[in-house]
Amino acid sequence: MAPVFTNSNGCPIPGDAFATQRIGKHGPLLLQDFNLIDSLAHFDRERIPERVVHAKGSGAYGVFEVTDDITDVCGAAFLDTIGKKTKVFTRFSTVGGEAGSADTARDPRGFATKFYTEEGNLDLVYNNTPVFFIRDPSKFPHFIHTQKRNPETHLKDANMFWDYLTTNQEAIHQVCILFSDRGTPASYREMNGYSGHTYKWSNKKGEWFYVQVHFISDQGIKTLSNEEAGALAGSNPDYAQEDLFKNIAAGNGPSWTCYVQTMTQEQAKNAPFSVFDLTKVWPHSDYPLRRFGKFQLNENPKNYFAEVEQAAFSPAHTVPYMEPSADPVLQSRLFSYADTHRHRLGTNYTQIPVNCPVTGAVYNPHMRDGHMNVNGNLGSTPNYLDTSKPVEFKQFALQEEQEVWEGAACPFHWKYTDEDFKQATALYNVLKRYPNQQAHLAHNVSVHVAAADAHIQDRVFEMFSKVHPDLGAAIKKETLQLSPRK
Ligand code: HEM
């Protein structure tokens, strides 16, 4: 049966759907025409705030499966049996651009996955780079603003961009990754995902480990050159969305193999870097990757707005036996995401189907009411936790039984030193193994920094010379060719 066309109140709209009530044929409209007002008023409110970062993205559902026993490291229920499957939803994104911006922009890619486990939703909110630009969370809004638009010109601004990065050089490792061809992945399918941060996992015996998680693409890594990415930004700005959607629709859903690196508290004390420093990687030779699972994305969302735009990921959404570490950037993220979800989607954002735990086990009778409460609001259940009635409290290893922190409250700014260049230099040396990759890094920086003022360019040459003198020299040479000094 064909659907009956109605207004939002369910009342059938009679006759000609496009007719509006007027005084005479060409006279003014009548306020009583609810069908018209209903339609216009809803249209006027279609937009919700886009994500302040990671606004452009693509998402899909899939299935995670445990491939190897990892119960000695983590007691989470969804990992407890080889072969156990858990539904997932992943959203990929660029970071700095607006919702309509080009998918091939030079930018890290977000890689956020929601695991609908029997113990609630676990969100692994990762990037495609194993490190990040900052380790002082207070810098995040400043840093992001320099990657966005100039407040006066409303243009992307090479001066702001490089002014920030040359005065906050702990970012150098991530900047080298960003300006290598890894900064322009060929598709969301052909890139890895990394926790970046150190997290803490514990087993059921109460033993705990610092961990870093890696999702390695089974499609392999493929990147674009700066020029290919630029051309695609013009000819098909939605290139990555199209690639993901069409591959899944054709039954060619991408998959990733999941690995974990572990470190004991003792090993962490002796490591040559801090495990709470998000600008550093853990060398694979010292901390080998251990496989534990695999997930494949195999189902496109039916509705982009409902499922992708309204998806709400947070590093604070976790499950028993998986906890954040003291990494200060991670600690700040624990606040920021749910805060923005309440602003972007409303206080009841976890009731939106894509965000809803599938366990049916949500029992928090004190969390009631609020805008857009649509799930029955727990009916006649008392609106407080009535502990005189039977209620179960689960026991699992807790953070307070793990690390002990002592000291007076103090202000601390984790300033950069030459030590921060070591891993960037190691990366530059590794690039030598891949044809043209050292040259592409120099080229990709040069074409970008050529738009900056001379004094900022000079700082850029100096900074990259600290990674390697050849890199600094190559950038200087090409930049000055592109933007000759008078
Ligand atoms: C202090 C540091 C950071 C802050 C304050 C921050 C804040 C935010 C905010 C407010 C959003 C928008 C969320 C939404 O509207 O739903 C977001 C998105 C995102 N962030 Fe961060 N972020 C930080 C660092 C990081 C880092 C280090 C990573 C990766 C390791 C990361 C990965 C992501 C991803 C993947 C998304 C997109 C999630 C989605 O697809 O909905 N962020 N971030």
Side-chain angles (χ1 to χ4, degrees):
M1 229 171 47
V4 176
F5 186 56
T6 71
N7 65 24
S8 65
N9 193 42
C11 175
I13 294 182
D16 181 347
F18 298 123
T20 49
Q21 295 182 26
R22 308 163 189 224
I23 308 283
K25 245 193 200 168
H26 297 296
L29 303 184
L30 296 183
L31 187 61
Q32 68 177 25
D33 189 351
F34 176 70
N35 295 342
L36 175 65
I37 290 170
D38 185 40
S39 157
L40 291 182
H42 193 278
F43 176 77
D44 296 344
R45 290 166 177 75
E46 273 181 14
R47 289 288 171 274
I48 61 171
E50 66 176 34
R51 289 168 176 81
V52 60
V53 278
H54 296 261
K56 176 75 188 290
S58 306
Y61 296 97
V63 179
F64 168 83
E65 182 172 352
V66 180
T67 52
D68 302 83
D69 182 37
I70 193 80
T71 51
D72 60 317
V73 176
C74 187
F78 81 106
L79 293 177
D80 67 9
T81 316
I82 293 175
K84 192 166 185 175
K85 291 184 177 163
T86 301
K87 184 176 171 173
V88 298
F89 179 75
T90 295
R91 181 175 179 272
F92 305 104
S93 49
T94 52
V95 182
E98 298 84 5
S101 58
D103 285 344
T104 55
R106 178 170 307 286
D107 215 354
R109 300 294 184 269
F111 193 142
T113 304
K114 195 179 281 293
F115 293 68
Y116 300 94
T117 89
E118 65 255 57
E119 292 177 316
N121 289 350
L122 166 70
D123 292 352
L124 300 184
V125 197
Y126 295 175
N127 278 339
N128 72 329
T129 56
V131 294
F132 199 60
F133 301 91
I134 61 167
R135 60 185 169 209
D136 286 296
S138 52
K139 291 187 179 178
F140 189 76
H142 300 267
F143 159 65
I144 290 294
H145 285 173
T146 66
Q147 313 295 298
K148 288 187 172 262
R149 293 175 185 276
N150 178 300
E152 182 188 9
T153 62
H154 199 56
L155 297 169
K156 293 284 173 98
D157 188 318
N159 283 328
M160 291 179 1
F161 187 99
W162 290 108
D163 184 28
Y164 176 88
L165 292 174
T166 51
T167 47
N168 296 275
Q169 297 188 10
E170 68 273 25
I172 189 65
H173 191 181
Q174 172 78 329
V175 172
C176 286
I177 297 174
L178 181 65
F179 279 87
S180 75
D181 286 347
R182 290 267 178 127
T184 46
S187 72
Y188 291 139
R189 295 177 302 114
E190 291 150 314
M191 62 182 206
N192 297 340
Y194 302 93
S195 62
H197 298 286
T198 296
Y199 285 79
K200 283 166 59 179
W201 288 4
S202 43
N203 64 25
K204 291 201 165 161
K205 289 193 254 168
E207 296 159 338
W208 64 273
F209 307 87
Y210 292 124
V211 299
Q212 291 256 350
V213 178
H214 302 238
F215 298 157
I216 304 296
S217 169
D218 295 326
Q219 295 65 240
I221 300 282
K222 207 169 152 211
T223 57
L224 301 169
S225 70
N226 194 59
E227 287 60 36
E228 288 168 331
L232 276 167
S235 64
N236 186 359
D238 304 317
Y239 181 73
Q241 163 74 18
E242 185 179 352
D243 174 88
L244 183 69
F245 194 91
K246 287 191 170 164
N247 270 286
I248 292 175
N252 186 29
S255 63
W256 285 264
T257 304
C258 310
Y259 297 86
V260 64
Q261 287 179 294
T262 63
M263 218 194 259
T264 61
Q265 196 173 18
E266 210 44 46
Q267 283 174 307
K269 274 187 203 143
N270 298 322
F273 52 85
S274 165
V275 291
F276 307 133
D277 179 353
L278 179 54
T279 68
K280 303 291 180 293
V281 291
W282 298 6
H284 294 196
S285 46
D286 299 333
Y287 310 97
L289 296 181
R290 185 170 155 188
R291 194 179 67 179
F292 66 94
K294 188 181 176 102
F295 63 94
Q296 183 176 32
L297 302 180
N298 54 12
E299 186 190 335
N300 280 317
K302 291 279 173 293
N303 185 281
Y304 182 87
F305 180 85
E307 295 156 89
V308 185
E309 193 58 20
Q310 293 197 117
F313 300 90
S314 168
H317 294 162
T318 192
V319 294
Y321 303 99
M322 291 187 166
E323 294 185 78
S325 73
D327 174 336
V329 177
L330 177 56
Q331 294 273 316
S332 301
R333 294 179 69 203
L334 300 176
F335 159 74
S336 221
Y337 290 69
D339 185 46
T340 205
H341 298 151
R342 291 180 189 108
H343 153 71
R344 187 166 73 79
L345 302 163
T347 193
N348 284 311
Y349 71 94
T350 52
Q351 291 185 21
I352 298 170
V354 69
N355 302 323
C356 217
V358 289
T359 55
V362 176
Y363 180 69
N364 41 27
H366 61 297
M367 288 170 79
R368 301 295 266 270
D369 308 352
H371 284 292
M372 302 302 292
N373 192 317
V374 292
N375 72 353
N377 202 22
L378 286 177
S380 60
T381 311
N383 58 5
Y384 64 101
L385 183 62
D386 182 356
T387 43
S388 68
K389 303 258 165 55
V391 56
E392 194 188 344
F393 297 99
K394 292 251 185 209
Q395 299 300 332
F396 52 88
L398 288 174
Q399 193 138 25
E400 61 252 35
E401 294 154 16
Q402 298 175 358
E403 292 154 296
V404 177
W405 303 104
E406 277 176 7
C410 66
F412 177 64
H413 173 187
W414 203 340
K415 293 188 180 148
Y416 71 85
T417 67
D418 287 348
E419 196 63 25
D420 291 310
F421 283 76
K422 282 193 174 155
Q423 289 198 351
T425 303
L427 171 73
Y428 181 70
N429 291 333
V430 166
L431 287 183
K432 200 176 188 154
R433 293 192 211 142
Y434 303 94
N436 303 322
Q437 283 306 304
Q438 285 187 337
H440 281 204
L441 171 57
H443 169 70
N444 297 343
V445 173
S446 305
V447 294
H448 195 285
V449 79
D453 293 345
H455 74 283
I456 303 261
Q457 289 179 349
D458 286 340
R459 281 199 240 150
V460 171
F461 307 150
E462 201 186 319
M463 179 172 78
F464 282 103
S465 297
K466 288 203 270 174
V467 177
H468 197 288
D470 293 352
L471 179 61
I475 292 172
K476 184 171 184 179
K477 185 169 169 215
E478 188 172 350
T479 304
L480 294 183
Q481 279 165 0
L482 292 167
S483 59
R485 304 261 168 101
K486 301 199 172 73

